[in-house]
Amino acid sequence: MIGKERIIYLDTLRIFSAFAIVWLHVSSQYWGESFYSMGWEVRNVCLSAVRWSVPVFVMISGALFLDIDRPFHTRRLYAKNILRIICAFLFWSFLSQVINTGFDAGLKALFILTINGPAYLWFIKMLLGLYIFVPVLRTIVSNRRTEIYYLSLSMIVVFIIPLLFDVIGLYNDPFVHFLKGNYEITEINELIDFSSYFVLGHFLATSSISKKTRFIVYLIAVVCLAIVVLGVHFYSIYSHLPSTYLFDYTNIFTLMEATAIFLYAKENFKTVPLSILSTVMTISNCSFGIYLIHPFIMDLLGVVLPYDYTSFVSVLVIPLSVMIIFSVSLLITKGISFIPILKKYII
């Protein structure tokens, strides 16, 4: 920790997550068009390896916002954090719609499109909901038994029950489909889903996890990654369609991968060499801006760097593209940060 504010492993995790999100979006390009080819197989591995990215971002926020030892004021939450993400959403959503559709659709249609936002900004809407519930979640985590109860409940209703329904449902049992339909109507899993990652981030940040337990989590995460890669491969071949079912953020496999990544960073990046500390903090501070800007750079790069996305060359092009997009997004974010009002509200 630097002073009372910076927690280095969270800064490091933020960088990893931002990079992984860029990797995820680059890898998902041509997902359907490249099926079935060597390029698609490369994408399958690349996508499977970084599904933890968004959950870990949420866990980082949970570790910070739910820390009861940190000063907290609801007014500051709304005036600073919530206002910032609303302004950022509206700015980048408006810019995206103007670039894609111009003003031809009319101001009313442009307004509606801006409020709906491009697909990638779903994360901001989800984060807004979590921020609004921070005071409630802080009450939950203020008592360890209540926090464990909430996490246990979320594990069951969000991760385990839906998986059981899907596995049993493979046999096309009408009664199972009936039960699943009625369970989904309650929407209890939708109510809890990402808040479980939010609370989990606080729990892992404030818990002492033994070396043996961490090793078991790491091992399970590796097995989960293998299951996802092979499961997506075989199910897609079987159904003759590129499946994304096992890529869901709220499945047990993603949960274990995100937990392993968080624990690994917590144990191995408590400090960094002084020679790179300033760089780590700079990139970490720019991570939100990188997330917001990278789709624009990705679209531009796709125009100037066409390639055969069905071939094995994807194994080289994807990492190269990610490095370029991440670096350019970082430079633009850093440039914007020199303008105080833009730094405060749009990145």
Side-chain angles (χ1 to χ4, degrees), residues 99-128:
I99 290 175
N100 291 325
T101 65
F103 292 92
D104 295 339
L107 292 179
K108 182 179 179 180
L110 185 60
F111 173 79
I112 294 173
L113 289 171
T114 298
I115 297 301
N116 288 335
Y120 85 101
L121 288 181
W122 72 269
F123 173 77
I124 306 300
K125 294 180 179 180
M126 178 269 293
L127 202 60
L128 174 62

PDB file of all heavy atoms in Angstrom, residues 99-128:
ATOM      1  N   ILE A  99     -20.135   8.683 -34.923  1.00  0.00           N
ATOM      2  CA  ILE A  99     -19.191   8.069 -35.867  1.00  0.00           C
ATOM      3  C   ILE A  99     -19.880   7.029 -36.734  1.00  0.00           C
ATOM      4  O   ILE A  99     -19.636   6.934 -37.942  1.00  0.00           O
ATOM      5  CB  ILE A  99     -18.016   7.436 -35.103  1.00  0.00           C
ATOM      6  CG1 ILE A  99     -17.134   8.534 -34.483  1.00  0.00           C
ATOM      7  CG2 ILE A  99     -17.175   6.550 -36.026  1.00  0.00           C
ATOM      8  CD1 ILE A  99     -16.020   8.008 -33.606  1.00  0.00           C
ATOM      9  N   ASN A 100     -20.771   6.242 -36.123  1.00  0.00           N
ATOM     10  CA  ASN A 100     -21.399   5.124 -36.839  1.00  0.00           C
ATOM     11  C   ASN A 100     -22.604   5.535 -37.680  1.00  0.00           C
ATOM     12  O   ASN A 100     -22.848   4.952 -38.737  1.00  0.00           O
ATOM     13  CB  ASN A 100     -21.826   4.037 -35.844  1.00  0.00           C
ATOM     14  CG  ASN A 100     -20.635   3.340 -35.224  1.00  0.00           C
ATOM     15  OD1 ASN A 100     -19.614   3.136 -35.867  1.00  0.00           O
ATOM     16  ND2 ASN A 100     -20.753   2.976 -33.948  1.00  0.00           N
ATOM     17  N   THR A 101     -23.371   6.516 -37.192  1.00  0.00           N
ATOM     18  CA  THR A 101     -24.602   6.866 -37.904  1.00  0.00           C
ATOM     19  C   THR A 101     -24.679   8.324 -38.328  1.00  0.00           C
ATOM     20  O   THR A 101     -25.546   8.682 -39.130  1.00  0.00           O
ATOM     21  CB  THR A 101     -25.835   6.564 -37.014  1.00  0.00           C
ATOM     22  OG1 THR A 101     -25.814   7.433 -35.866  1.00  0.00           O
ATOM     23  CG2 THR A 101     -25.835   5.122 -36.551  1.00  0.00           C
ATOM     24  N   GLY A 102     -23.803   9.171 -37.765  1.00  0.00           N
ATOM     25  CA  GLY A 102     -23.878  10.592 -38.072  1.00  0.00           C
ATOM     26  C   GLY A 102     -25.154  11.190 -37.505  1.00  0.00           C
ATOM     27  O   GLY A 102     -25.742  10.670 -36.562  1.00  0.00           O
ATOM     28  N   PHE A 103     -25.597  12.272 -38.111  1.00  0.00           N
ATOM     29  CA  PHE A 103     -26.819  12.933 -37.649  1.00  0.00           C
ATOM     30  C   PHE A 103     -27.988  12.657 -38.601  1.00  0.00           C
ATOM     31  O   PHE A 103     -29.047  13.275 -38.482  1.00  0.00           O
ATOM     32  CB  PHE A 103     -26.592  14.444 -37.550  1.00  0.00           C
ATOM     33  CG  PHE A 103     -25.624  14.827 -36.460  1.00  0.00           C
ATOM     34  CD1 PHE A 103     -24.260  14.951 -36.733  1.00  0.00           C
ATOM     35  CD2 PHE A 103     -26.067  15.043 -35.164  1.00  0.00           C
ATOM     36  CE1 PHE A 103     -23.371  15.316 -35.727  1.00  0.00           C
ATOM     37  CE2 PHE A 103     -25.174  15.396 -34.158  1.00  0.00           C
ATOM     38  CZ  PHE A 103     -23.821  15.535 -34.437  1.00  0.00           C
ATOM     39  N   ASP A 104     -27.790  11.727 -39.527  1.00  0.00           N
ATOM     40  CA  ASP A 104     -28.819  11.456 -40.533  1.00  0.00           C
ATOM     41  C   ASP A 104     -30.107  10.925 -39.921  1.00  0.00           C
ATOM     42  O   ASP A 104     -31.198  11.144 -40.444  1.00  0.00           O
ATOM     43  CB  ASP A 104     -28.297  10.448 -41.566  1.00  0.00           C
ATOM     44  CG  ASP A 104     -27.130  11.010 -42.364  1.00  0.00           C
ATOM     45  OD1 ASP A 104     -27.008  12.251 -42.401  1.00  0.00           O
ATOM     46  OD2 ASP A 104     -26.337  10.228 -42.918  1.00  0.00           O
ATOM     47  N   ALA A 105     -29.984  10.188 -38.811  1.00  0.00           N
ATOM     48  CA  ALA A 105     -31.173   9.572 -38.207  1.00  0.00           C
ATOM     49  C   ALA A 105     -32.041  10.582 -37.473  1.00  0.00           C
ATOM     50  O   ALA A 105     -33.174  10.277 -37.104  1.00  0.00           O
ATOM     51  CB  ALA A 105     -30.744   8.466 -37.236  1.00  0.00           C
ATOM     52  N   GLY A 106     -31.527  11.774 -37.263  1.00  0.00           N
ATOM     53  CA  GLY A 106     -32.286  12.784 -36.530  1.00  0.00           C
ATOM     54  C   GLY A 106     -31.878  12.837 -35.069  1.00  0.00           C
ATOM     55  O   GLY A 106     -31.344  11.863 -34.524  1.00  0.00           O
ATOM     56  N   LEU A 107     -32.131  13.981 -34.437  1.00  0.00           N
ATOM     57  CA  LEU A 107     -31.685  14.177 -33.058  1.00  0.00           C
ATOM     58  C   LEU A 107     -32.389  13.246 -32.078  1.00  0.00           C
ATOM     59  O   LEU A 107     -31.789  12.758 -31.125  1.00  0.00           O
ATOM     60  CB  LEU A 107     -31.911  15.644 -32.658  1.00  0.00           C
ATOM     61  CG  LEU A 107     -31.028  16.674 -33.377  1.00  0.00           C
ATOM     62  CD1 LEU A 107     -31.370  18.087 -32.897  1.00  0.00           C
ATOM     63  CD2 LEU A 107     -29.543  16.380 -33.125  1.00  0.00           C
ATOM     64  N   LYS A 108     -33.682  13.000 -32.298  1.00  0.00           N
ATOM     65  CA  LYS A 108     -34.427  12.121 -31.402  1.00  0.00           C
ATOM     66  C   LYS A 108     -33.869  10.708 -31.430  1.00  0.00           C
ATOM     67  O   LYS A 108     -33.634  10.091 -30.382  1.00  0.00           O
ATOM     68  CB  LYS A 108     -35.904  12.107 -31.776  1.00  0.00           C
ATOM     69  CG  LYS A 108     -36.750  11.246 -30.840  1.00  0.00           C
ATOM     70  CD  LYS A 108     -38.228  11.286 -31.231  1.00  0.00           C
ATOM     71  CE  LYS A 108     -39.059  10.401 -30.304  1.00  0.00           C
ATOM     72  NZ  LYS A 108     -40.504  10.430 -30.675  1.00  0.00           N
ATOM     73  N   ALA A 109     -33.609  10.197 -32.636  1.00  0.00           N
ATOM     74  CA  ALA A 109     -33.054   8.839 -32.776  1.00  0.00           C
ATOM     75  C   ALA A 109     -31.645   8.780 -32.202  1.00  0.00           C
ATOM     76  O   ALA A 109     -31.263   7.797 -31.558  1.00  0.00           O
ATOM     77  CB  ALA A 109     -33.037   8.430 -34.248  1.00  0.00           C
ATOM     78  N   LEU A 110     -30.878   9.855 -32.409  1.00  0.00           N
ATOM     79  CA  LEU A 110     -29.519   9.906 -31.882  1.00  0.00           C
ATOM     80  C   LEU A 110     -29.539   9.904 -30.354  1.00  0.00           C
ATOM     81  O   LEU A 110     -28.703   9.254 -29.707  1.00  0.00           O
ATOM     82  CB  LEU A 110     -28.802  11.153 -32.390  1.00  0.00           C
ATOM     83  CG  LEU A 110     -27.322  11.299 -32.013  1.00  0.00           C
ATOM     84  CD1 LEU A 110     -26.506  10.128 -32.541  1.00  0.00           C
ATOM     85  CD2 LEU A 110     -26.768  12.615 -32.552  1.00  0.00           C
ATOM     86  N   PHE A 111     -30.518  10.607 -29.785  1.00  0.00           N
ATOM     87  CA  PHE A 111     -30.664  10.630 -28.327  1.00  0.00           C
ATOM     88  C   PHE A 111     -30.961   9.229 -27.793  1.00  0.00           C
ATOM     89  O   PHE A 111     -30.355   8.771 -26.815  1.00  0.00           O
ATOM     90  CB  PHE A 111     -31.784  11.594 -27.933  1.00  0.00           C
ATOM     91  CG  PHE A 111     -32.119  11.568 -26.476  1.00  0.00           C
ATOM     92  CD1 PHE A 111     -31.336  12.235 -25.549  1.00  0.00           C
ATOM     93  CD2 PHE A 111     -33.235  10.862 -26.016  1.00  0.00           C
ATOM     94  CE1 PHE A 111     -31.638  12.203 -24.189  1.00  0.00           C
ATOM     95  CE2 PHE A 111     -33.547  10.826 -24.665  1.00  0.00           C
ATOM     96  CZ  PHE A 111     -32.747  11.498 -23.749  1.00  0.00           C
ATOM     97  N   ILE A 112     -31.883   8.535 -28.450  1.00  0.00           N
ATOM     98  CA  ILE A 112     -32.253   7.177 -28.019  1.00  0.00           C
ATOM     99  C   ILE A 112     -31.062   6.229 -28.151  1.00  0.00           C
ATOM    100  O   ILE A 112     -30.786   5.425 -27.249  1.00  0.00           O
ATOM    101  CB  ILE A 112     -33.455   6.663 -28.841  1.00  0.00           C
ATOM    102  CG1 ILE A 112     -34.698   7.504 -28.525  1.00  0.00           C
ATOM    103  CG2 ILE A 112     -33.720   5.185 -28.554  1.00  0.00           C
ATOM    104  CD1 ILE A 112     -35.889   7.188 -29.412  1.00  0.00           C
ATOM    105  N   LEU A 113     -30.348   6.331 -29.271  1.00  0.00           N
ATOM    106  CA  LEU A 113     -29.179   5.473 -29.483  1.00  0.00           C
ATOM    107  C   LEU A 113     -28.101   5.746 -28.438  1.00  0.00           C
ATOM    108  O   LEU A 113     -27.430   4.823 -27.956  1.00  0.00           O
ATOM    109  CB  LEU A 113     -28.614   5.704 -30.885  1.00  0.00           C
ATOM    110  CG  LEU A 113     -29.450   5.171 -32.052  1.00  0.00           C
ATOM    111  CD1 LEU A 113     -28.886   5.657 -33.380  1.00  0.00           C
ATOM    112  CD2 LEU A 113     -29.496   3.638 -32.021  1.00  0.00           C
ATOM    113  N   THR A 114     -27.939   7.015 -28.081  1.00  0.00           N
ATOM    114  CA  THR A 114     -26.936   7.381 -27.081  1.00  0.00           C
ATOM    115  C   THR A 114     -27.290   6.794 -25.719  1.00  0.00           C
ATOM    116  O   THR A 114     -26.427   6.263 -25.014  1.00  0.00           O
ATOM    117  CB  THR A 114     -26.809   8.911 -26.973  1.00  0.00           C
ATOM    118  OG1 THR A 114     -26.367   9.439 -28.228  1.00  0.00           O
ATOM    119  CG2 THR A 114     -25.814   9.300 -25.882  1.00  0.00           C
ATOM    120  N   ILE A 115     -28.555   6.889 -25.332  1.00  0.00           N
ATOM    121  CA  ILE A 115     -28.983   6.336 -24.049  1.00  0.00           C
ATOM    122  C   ILE A 115     -28.828   4.822 -24.028  1.00  0.00           C
ATOM    123  O   ILE A 115     -28.412   4.237 -23.024  1.00  0.00           O
ATOM    124  CB  ILE A 115     -30.449   6.723 -23.744  1.00  0.00           C
ATOM    125  CG1 ILE A 115     -30.579   8.241 -23.618  1.00  0.00           C
ATOM    126  CG2 ILE A 115     -30.927   6.037 -22.465  1.00  0.00           C
ATOM    127  CD1 ILE A 115     -29.723   8.859 -22.529  1.00  0.00           C
ATOM    128  N   ASN A 116     -29.160   4.175 -25.139  1.00  0.00           N
ATOM    129  CA  ASN A 116     -28.999   2.716 -25.211  1.00  0.00           C
ATOM    130  C   ASN A 116     -27.519   2.338 -25.164  1.00  0.00           C
ATOM    131  O   ASN A 116     -27.135   1.391 -24.491  1.00  0.00           O
ATOM    132  CB  ASN A 116     -29.634   2.167 -26.485  1.00  0.00           C
ATOM    133  CG  ASN A 116     -31.145   2.209 -26.428  1.00  0.00           C
ATOM    134  OD1 ASN A 116     -31.734   2.201 -25.342  1.00  0.00           O
ATOM    135  ND2 ASN A 116     -31.786   2.256 -27.586  1.00  0.00           N
ATOM    136  N   GLY A 117     -26.705   3.104 -25.891  1.00  0.00           N
ATOM    137  CA  GLY A 117     -25.269   2.888 -25.879  1.00  0.00           C
ATOM    138  C   GLY A 117     -24.819   1.725 -26.742  1.00  0.00           C
ATOM    139  O   GLY A 117     -25.592   0.798 -27.008  1.00  0.00           O
ATOM    140  N   PRO A 118     -23.558   1.757 -27.199  1.00  0.00           N
ATOM    141  CA  PRO A 118     -23.004   0.619 -27.939  1.00  0.00           C
ATOM    142  C   PRO A 118     -22.875  -0.584 -27.017  1.00  0.00           C
ATOM    143  O   PRO A 118     -22.858  -0.443 -25.781  1.00  0.00           O
ATOM    144  CB  PRO A 118     -21.637   1.135 -28.400  1.00  0.00           C
ATOM    145  CG  PRO A 118     -21.289   2.212 -27.428  1.00  0.00           C
ATOM    146  CD  PRO A 118     -22.589   2.845 -27.025  1.00  0.00           C
ATOM    147  N   ALA A 119     -22.756  -1.751 -27.604  1.00  0.00           N
ATOM    148  CA  ALA A 119     -22.779  -2.997 -26.829  1.00  0.00           C
ATOM    149  C   ALA A 119     -21.722  -3.039 -25.733  1.00  0.00           C
ATOM    150  O   ALA A 119     -21.985  -3.500 -24.615  1.00  0.00           O
ATOM    151  CB  ALA A 119     -22.616  -4.188 -27.771  1.00  0.00           C
ATOM    152  N   TYR A 120     -20.522  -2.544 -26.024  1.00  0.00           N
ATOM    153  CA  TYR A 120     -19.440  -2.708 -25.055  1.00  0.00           C
ATOM    154  C   TYR A 120     -19.630  -1.891 -23.784  1.00  0.00           C
ATOM    155  O   TYR A 120     -19.014  -2.175 -22.751  1.00  0.00           O
ATOM    156  CB  TYR A 120     -18.089  -2.384 -25.713  1.00  0.00           C
ATOM    157  CG  TYR A 120     -17.693  -0.922 -25.726  1.00  0.00           C
ATOM    158  CD1 TYR A 120     -16.769  -0.426 -24.805  1.00  0.00           C
ATOM    159  CD2 TYR A 120     -18.207  -0.042 -26.666  1.00  0.00           C
ATOM    160  CE1 TYR A 120     -16.387   0.915 -24.820  1.00  0.00           C
ATOM    161  CE2 TYR A 120     -17.841   1.294 -26.688  1.00  0.00           C
ATOM    162  CZ  TYR A 120     -16.928   1.772 -25.761  1.00  0.00           C
ATOM    163  OH  TYR A 120     -16.552   3.091 -25.769  1.00  0.00           O
ATOM    164  N   LEU A 121     -20.519  -0.887 -23.837  1.00  0.00           N
ATOM    165  CA  LEU A 121     -20.746  -0.053 -22.660  1.00  0.00           C
ATOM    166  C   LEU A 121     -21.763  -0.654 -21.688  1.00  0.00           C
ATOM    167  O   LEU A 121     -22.138  -0.018 -20.710  1.00  0.00           O
ATOM    168  CB  LEU A 121     -21.197   1.350 -23.073  1.00  0.00           C
ATOM    169  CG  LEU A 121     -20.109   2.230 -23.704  1.00  0.00           C
ATOM    170  CD1 LEU A 121     -20.670   3.610 -24.041  1.00  0.00           C
ATOM    171  CD2 LEU A 121     -18.901   2.369 -22.773  1.00  0.00           C
ATOM    172  N   TRP A 122     -22.180  -1.900 -21.925  1.00  0.00           N
ATOM    173  CA  TRP A 122     -23.050  -2.575 -20.958  1.00  0.00           C
ATOM    174  C   TRP A 122     -22.377  -2.621 -19.588  1.00  0.00           C
ATOM    175  O   TRP A 122     -23.043  -2.560 -18.546  1.00  0.00           O
ATOM    176  CB  TRP A 122     -23.355  -4.008 -21.407  1.00  0.00           C
ATOM    177  CG  TRP A 122     -22.170  -4.936 -21.267  1.00  0.00           C
ATOM    178  CD1 TRP A 122     -21.215  -5.196 -22.209  1.00  0.00           C
ATOM    179  CD2 TRP A 122     -21.802  -5.690 -20.105  1.00  0.00           C
ATOM    180  NE1 TRP A 122     -20.275  -6.060 -21.708  1.00  0.00           N
ATOM    181  CE2 TRP A 122     -20.613  -6.388 -20.415  1.00  0.00           C
ATOM    182  CE3 TRP A 122     -22.356  -5.856 -18.838  1.00  0.00           C
ATOM    183  CZ2 TRP A 122     -19.967  -7.231 -19.510  1.00  0.00           C
ATOM    184  CZ3 TRP A 122     -21.715  -6.693 -17.924  1.00  0.00           C
ATOM    185  CH2 TRP A 122     -20.545  -7.371 -18.267  1.00  0.00           C
ATOM    186  N   PHE A 123     -21.054  -2.708 -19.600  1.00  0.00           N
ATOM    187  CA  PHE A 123     -20.290  -2.780 -18.358  1.00  0.00           C
ATOM    188  C   PHE A 123     -20.519  -1.538 -17.501  1.00  0.00           C
ATOM    189  O   PHE A 123     -20.622  -1.624 -16.267  1.00  0.00           O
ATOM    190  CB  PHE A 123     -18.802  -2.928 -18.694  1.00  0.00           C
ATOM    191  CG  PHE A 123     -17.896  -2.853 -17.495  1.00  0.00           C
ATOM    192  CD1 PHE A 123     -17.771  -3.925 -16.632  1.00  0.00           C
ATOM    193  CD2 PHE A 123     -17.163  -1.704 -17.230  1.00  0.00           C
ATOM    194  CE1 PHE A 123     -16.942  -3.860 -15.522  1.00  0.00           C
ATOM    195  CE2 PHE A 123     -16.338  -1.621 -16.122  1.00  0.00           C
ATOM    196  CZ  PHE A 123     -16.219  -2.707 -15.270  1.00  0.00           C
ATOM    197  N   ILE A 124     -20.615  -0.372 -18.138  1.00  0.00           N
ATOM    198  CA  ILE A 124     -20.817   0.878 -17.405  1.00  0.00           C
ATOM    199  C   ILE A 124     -22.195   0.886 -16.748  1.00  0.00           C
ATOM    200  O   ILE A 124     -22.349   1.319 -15.597  1.00  0.00           O
ATOM    201  CB  ILE A 124     -20.662   2.089 -18.339  1.00  0.00           C
ATOM    202  CG1 ILE A 124     -19.312   2.041 -19.066  1.00  0.00           C
ATOM    203  CG2 ILE A 124     -20.809   3.379 -17.560  1.00  0.00           C
ATOM    204  CD1 ILE A 124     -18.126   2.062 -18.134  1.00  0.00           C
ATOM    205  N   LYS A 125     -23.204   0.414 -17.465  1.00  0.00           N
ATOM    206  CA  LYS A 125     -24.547   0.346 -16.892  1.00  0.00           C
ATOM    207  C   LYS A 125     -24.574  -0.585 -15.688  1.00  0.00           C
ATOM    208  O   LYS A 125     -25.201  -0.285 -14.666  1.00  0.00           O
ATOM    209  CB  LYS A 125     -25.546  -0.135 -17.948  1.00  0.00           C
ATOM    210  CG  LYS A 125     -25.745   0.823 -19.116  1.00  0.00           C
ATOM    211  CD  LYS A 125     -26.750   0.260 -20.090  1.00  0.00           C
ATOM    212  CE  LYS A 125     -26.997   1.205 -21.258  1.00  0.00           C
ATOM    213  NZ  LYS A 125     -27.988   0.673 -22.221  1.00  0.00           N
ATOM    214  N   MET A 126     -23.918  -1.728 -15.819  1.00  0.00           N
ATOM    215  CA  MET A 126     -23.852  -2.678 -14.715  1.00  0.00           C
ATOM    216  C   MET A 126     -23.129  -2.072 -13.521  1.00  0.00           C
ATOM    217  O   MET A 126     -23.561  -2.193 -12.364  1.00  0.00           O
ATOM    218  CB  MET A 126     -23.153  -3.955 -15.179  1.00  0.00           C
ATOM    219  CG  MET A 126     -22.966  -5.021 -14.113  1.00  0.00           C
ATOM    220  SD  MET A 126     -21.389  -4.873 -13.224  1.00  0.00           S
ATOM    221  CE  MET A 126     -20.237  -5.263 -14.544  1.00  0.00           C
ATOM    222  N   LEU A 127     -22.023  -1.366 -13.795  1.00  0.00           N
ATOM    223  CA  LEU A 127     -21.250  -0.742 -12.733  1.00  0.00           C
ATOM    224  C   LEU A 127     -22.058   0.348 -12.034  1.00  0.00           C
ATOM    225  O   LEU A 127     -21.978   0.504 -10.805  1.00  0.00           O
ATOM    226  CB  LEU A 127     -19.959  -0.154 -13.313  1.00  0.00           C
ATOM    227  CG  LEU A 127     -18.788   0.077 -12.351  1.00  0.00           C
ATOM    228  CD1 LEU A 127     -18.356  -1.224 -11.713  1.00  0.00           C
ATOM    229  CD2 LEU A 127     -17.634   0.728 -13.087  1.00  0.00           C
ATOM    230  N   LEU A 128     -22.851   1.075 -12.797  1.00  0.00           N
ATOM    231  CA  LEU A 128     -23.707   2.109 -12.221  1.00  0.00           C
ATOM    232  C   LEU A 128     -24.666   1.496 -11.200  1.00  0.00           C
ATOM    233  O   LEU A 128     -24.847   2.030 -10.098  1.00  0.00           O
ATOM    234  CB  LEU A 128     -24.494   2.818 -13.325  1.00  0.00           C
ATOM    235  CG  LEU A 128     -25.552   3.829 -12.866  1.00  0.00           C
ATOM    236  CD1 LEU A 128     -24.897   4.968 -12.098  1.00  0.00           C
ATOM    237  CD2 LEU A 128     -26.329   4.367 -14.069  1.00  0.00           C
TER     238      LEU A 128
END
